[in-house]
Structure formats: structure tokens, C-alpha cells
Amino acid sequence: MKLGVTGGIGSGKSTVAGMLRQNGAALIDADAIARSVTEAEGAAIAALRDEFGPDYITDGALDRARMRTLVFSDPTAKQRLEAIVHPFVGREIAHAAAQAHRAGHALIVFDIPLLTESPRWARQLDTVLVVDCREETQIQRVQMRSGLTADAVRAIMATQSPRATRRAAADLVVYNDGLALSDLQTKAREIAVFFGL
């Protein structure tokens, strides 16, 4: 079974995905894979340097802060970035999924921040789990963990699908607002049991 887990920034989707891994699922983290292909000596670095120039590569890795600024100011930059990075990420995800399948995992969890932004995922997943919370909660959580301003967090949120769009794509929803961590763990365990773990 292939389960896509998504949610807006600060929703807790990666926390839920990690809890499902703790309950026996294989976990494929699309964000971690994207970071790996854009870190020093990553597979996408040469193409990124060719497309955006050496100013966007620092110590051999993508300068994320500079790229984030460019993406917010130039809509075409995001498309150009994704056109380079996504094929590398897609290949790595497919490879990791094949490994998990060969290892006999009953549930493969795909932690995908931008699941509803890309039409390709619907064809590749059996079920979609959306981790949802109020926008105010998202902003507070991201500010606490990253130190970004509220406006900076809102700018990131504006590049993601609206809550209603994510919820409409969901087969399952975990409402992660005001939950204690132990309650979230209980929910994750219930989902794991539902999928036969």
C-alpha cells in the first residue's frame, strides 16, 4: 500500500510520517531527497549552476536562502528550479520505493509537501493522508522552529495549495491543532493498524 502524507508547512505532516515509520512503515521523505540532490556534490548541482549561475551555489550546495528570494520575486524561477530538481527527486523516490517493496514492507509512506500541487502523485498513490491545522498554528510553529517572520511564513504558505484543496484531495485527515504529542502518536498508531501494521 502506498500512502501519501501531505500538509502545509508547519502542519506536522513530517511528524506524523515519522510516527508511521516508528509503527513499521517504510518512509520516503521527498523533502530530504530534494535536499540531498541540492547539497554539496548533489546530483542537481551542475544543472542548477548552469541555469542560475554560480551565485546560487555556495560551498558546492544550492544557496537556499538566495533561491527562496528569487523564487518569490520571479515566478518563472520556481518553474525552472522544479524542472531541474523534480526529475532527480522522482528517480530517487522510485528507487527507494522499489527497495521498500523488495524488503516486504506492507505500507510505504511518501512524505510529500507539495502532493496536491503536482498531478502526477494521484496516479502513484493508493491513499492520501492530509495533516491539517489552522493557518495561525502553521505560522506559530514555523516561527518557533525557524525564526522566520510571520510575513515570510505567509509567503511560503502562499506558494502551497490552500487548506481546502488539500482536504479535498484527502482520503484521511488528521486535524493536528491543539493535540498533545501523545494524542498524535495514538492517531498515528490507529492509522498504522488500519493499514495492517
Side-chain angles (χ1 to χ4, degrees), residues 5-57:
V5 178
T6 195
I9 187 170
S11 65
K13 67 163 181 53
S14 294
T15 300
V16 171
M19 289 173 175
L20 291 171
R21 180 179 52 77
Q22 291 168 355
N23 280 281
L27 175 59
I28 299 172
D29 184 337
D31 251 3
I33 291 172
R35 283 191 299 274
S36 75
V37 303
T38 60
E39 64 189 13
E41 310 305 320
I45 292 300
L48 290 168
R49 184 182 290 111
D50 290 345
E51 178 66 29
F52 295 100
D55 289 346
Y56 287 88
I57 308 300

Side-chain angles (χ1 to χ4, degrees), residues 146-169:
S146 69
L148 293 174
T149 66
D151 285 343
V153 179
R154 285 188 194 94
I156 294 169
M157 290 167 61
T159 68
Q160 300 180 334
S161 292
R163 287 179 65 199
T165 301
R166 283 192 296 270
R167 289 177 70 98

Side-chain angles (χ1 to χ4, degrees), residues 90-109:
R91 284 192 290 275
E92 290 295 322
I93 287 173
H95 177 69
Q99 282 185 314
H101 182 71
R102 282 194 300 274
H105 285 279
L107 179 64
I108 304 173
V109 172

